[in-house]
Amino acid sequence: MRFSKALKLILTTVMLVFFTAVMAVTAFAADVTDVTSSAGLEKALRNEARYIRVTKSFTVDRTFYVTGKTTIYSDKAVLLTRSPEFSGDIFVVGENSQGESALLGGSQATLTLGKKSPKKGSMLTINGNKDNMKVKVKGSVAFVTNSSVVNVYSNITVMNAYKSGNERAFNKRYLLSAADRVGGAVFINASGSINIYGGSFKNNSVNKEYINSKDASKSVYTSSRGGVIYNYSNVNIFGGTFENNKAANGGVIYSLYTVEISKGSFISNKATTSGGVIYQGSLSNAALCIGKKGDEKGSSVVFKGNTAAKDGGAIYESTRGNVVIFGRTSFSENKASDNGGAIA
């Protein structure tokens, strides 16, 4: 059989692409570290493993420090459950165990949960175990700082995270002036950011408590802010479902800086004060952008059935400005007792 020069070129190109793909998959497989326990995950991160595959469910009993670029994923349904005796952050991104910034070592820390092209369904679930805790939880699922980045993809579920304290209260490094319970699942400090491309965040919360004292100077109102995310930098949401999350202010997000939402569903979230989904804080440079400019068909961002005991069943904007909403955004069945069933 005789082939034309054009056909030979096509066959050669196809074979080259095939072998390149095989080599890439082989290299990826060789770079994957499998873990089955908290100790194994801690070791893999300490060794700066690039890809970490969780192959077995286990209990989380320690904090994992991410100072390099790491992807954690699973190819089957596994569950990481907070130990009833563990109260700290599960992931600290951008800082080592001594509190030293990853930037000092020349690295911008990046934690990616899940993969861009996942199998259907949730493969990796992080369970905050709030109904079985024996200690007060003072840490989030992820604390993000020092210009670090967290990426979340569609095969990830974060659920039942409950925060009743704050590990970094009164520490001026973290820009908290009071013992606020902030970020039930994610606490983003100055210059950190999170990109959410999908996944599910459900039943996460932070509590609200007043600590009274005979000495008035020692009385502390510990308000809860952001059932899922407390944002002091940047939040970008490109997809995902946020359901049944709760806080005093911002059932899903309490933000002092930038939040951009181009796609996602926010369903049955609750604020016991204001902002059933989002509470936009009072800083002058805070900004909230929802939807996509020029994209006018269908509904890509959905706010449904969210409630606030006071103002803003879906969104509360404390500065009365810097909120932009484009097409493909819908509000339905949101309620507030005082002002703004959808937006206040």
Side-chain angles (χ1 to χ4, degrees):
M1 183 181 294
R2 302 178 66 181
F3 297 97
S4 67
K5 289 184 178 180
L7 182 56
K8 287 181 179 179
L9 180 59
I10 291 172
L11 290 172
T12 301
T13 302
V14 169
M15 292 178 66
L16 180 60
V17 170
F18 173 76
F19 284 116
T20 300
V22 170
M23 291 177 66
V25 170
T26 302
F28 173 79
D31 199 27
V32 172
T33 300
D34 289 338
V35 300
T36 59
S37 66
S38 282
L41 180 53
E42 181 181 47
K43 181 179 179 181
L45 288 169
R46 190 167 55 243
N47 292 336
E48 298 187 352
R50 182 66 183 85
Y51 299 98
I52 300 173
R53 179 169 54 201
V54 181
T55 60
K56 181 181 178 181
S57 298
F58 60 81
T59 298
V60 175
D61 59 4
R62 66 196 70 187
T63 296
F64 306 112
Y65 295 91
V66 180
T67 56
K69 298 185 185 302
T70 300
T71 296
I72 300 175
Y73 71 100
S74 181
D75 289 328
K76 62 181 182 180
V78 297
L79 183 65
L80 306 187
T81 304
R82 180 187 285 274
S83 166
E85 290 84 21
F86 175 55
S87 68
D89 293 306
I90 293 179
F91 293 102
V92 170
V93 188
E95 198 173 83
N96 65 20
S97 58
Q98 285 75 47
E100 297 168 335
S101 171
L103 294 173
L104 296 176
S107 173
Q108 180 191 41
T110 302
L111 171 63
T112 298
L113 296 173
K115 295 192 294 186
K116 292 182 179 180
S117 301
K119 295 180 179 179
K120 292 183 179 180
S122 178
M123 295 293 105
L124 179 61
T125 297
I126 301 173
N127 180 11
N129 203 20
K130 66 179 181 180
D131 293 329
N132 300 299
M133 294 306 299
K134 297 178 181 179
V135 295
K136 287 189 174 183
V137 177
K138 298 182 179 181
S140 300
V141 171
F143 172 64
V144 189
T145 190
N146 296 320
S147 299
S148 57
V149 178
V150 171
N151 301 309
V152 180
Y153 285 98
S154 60
N155 51 350
I156 297 296
T157 296
V158 178
M159 59 186 289
N160 300 328
Y162 175 73
K163 197 170 185 180
S164 57
N166 201 315
E167 214 166 39
R168 295 168 176 82
F170 302 107
N171 189 328
K172 293 182 180 180
R173 288 179 57 202
Y174 302 110
L175 306 174
L176 290 175
S177 59
D180 294 327
R181 280 91 163 107
V182 296
V186 180
F187 174 9
I188 304 174
N189 194 38
S191 75
S193 63
I194 185 168
N195 303 306
I196 298 174
Y197 298 95
S200 175
F201 296 79
K202 56 186 180 181
N203 302 324
N204 302 291
S205 60
V206 281
N207 75 341
K208 179 180 180 181
E209 181 179 316
Y210 181 77
I211 301 173
N212 194 16
S213 172
K214 292 181 179 179
D215 181 352
S217 66
K218 294 182 180 179
S219 294
V220 179
Y221 179 72
T222 54
S223 64
S224 66
R225 302 177 181 183
V228 177
I229 299 170
Y230 176 88
N231 175 42
Y232 208 94
S233 190
N234 294 291
V235 173
N236 302 296
I237 298 176
F238 304 98
T241 301
F242 301 79
E243 187 172 4
N244 292 322
N245 301 290
K246 179 182 176 182
N249 291 304
V252 176
I253 301 170
Y254 183 99
S255 179
L256 292 170
Y257 277 84
T258 303
V259 176
E260 294 190 11
I261 303 171
S262 57
K263 189 176 182 180
S265 297
F266 301 86
I267 301 169
S268 300
N269 301 287
K270 180 179 180 179
T272 56
T273 305
S274 296
V277 176
I278 301 168
Y279 186 107
Q280 190 73 357
S282 58
L283 293 185
S284 60
N285 50 353
L288 173 62
C289 181
I290 300 172
K292 288 183 177 180
K293 186 176 182 180
D295 197 355
E296 304 297 335
K297 295 182 180 180
S299 294
S300 278
V301 185
V302 175
F303 296 87
K304 183 178 180 179
N306 304 289
T307 60
K310 192 176 179 181
D311 301 322
I315 299 169
Y316 179 76
E317 215 300 318
S318 64
T319 61
R320 302 295 189 271
N322 298 322
V323 176
V324 178
I325 300 175
F326 292 111
R328 304 198 72 184
T329 300
S330 69
F331 295 85
S332 63
E333 301 174 29
N334 301 289
K335 297 179 181 179
S337 297
D338 289 349
N339 301 302
I343 304 172

